[in-house]
Amino acid sequence: MTEKTRLKAIRFPEYLVRDLSKHVRRGKQSDFIIRATEEALLRLKQAKALKEYQGVFTPDEYPEFRDRESIEAWVRNLRQEAEERLARWSRDEK
């Protein structure tokens, strides 16, 4: 099923139109702009959510979020656990 679309007239600076034409082939420019807009909106929504929920994870209740180093260690550990789980599942399927 094809997603419904709407035409939206948007003005772009000339330099941006030139760069778009130079780097993205004709016929793919709308897709490129749509993907770029989706990515920018996602970042905008994430920033808004972060601002809205700022302070929810207090260091007393969540020491893993105390500082940048703690967060990085927590993420590394999460990734390691996921890799180990995946390795176990791969072995079990054989």
Side-chain angles (χ1 to χ4, degrees):
M1 183 162 75
T2 304
E3 191 169 343
K4 289 176 77 174
T5 62
R6 282 182 47 189
L7 182 61
K8 177 118 179 126
I10 299 174
R11 293 185 183 275
F12 288 92
E14 287 184 16
Y15 78 90
L16 202 52
V17 173
R18 281 192 304 273
D19 269 1
L20 182 65
S21 296
K22 180 179 177 182
H23 297 286
V24 180
R25 71 181 168 98
R26 206 170 174 182
K28 294 296 181 178
Q29 293 177 6
S30 288
D31 291 338
F32 181 86
I33 293 168
I34 290 166
R35 279 195 321 275
T37 303
E38 288 171 340
E39 290 172 12
L41 283 171
L42 178 61
R43 285 192 304 276
L44 185 66
K45 290 174 187 177
Q46 289 172 337
K48 184 178 178 183
L50 285 171
K51 190 173 188 176
E52 186 176 330
Y53 291 100
Q54 184 177 5
V56 171
F57 296 108
T58 62
D60 293 338
E61 294 180 42
Y62 300 93
E64 60 267 40
F65 300 135
R66 179 180 54 251
D67 52 31
R68 183 181 189 96
E69 293 79 23
S70 300
I71 293 169
E72 288 173 354
W74 179 75
V75 169
R76 274 194 305 276
N77 185 46
L78 253 158
R79 289 177 178 161
Q80 180 65 35
E81 289 174 1
E83 288 175 13
E84 290 170 1
R85 245 188 333 272
L86 184 58
R88 278 195 309 272
W89 291 339
S90 296
R91 282 194 308 268
D92 292 345
E93 289 181 0
K94 290 180 181 179

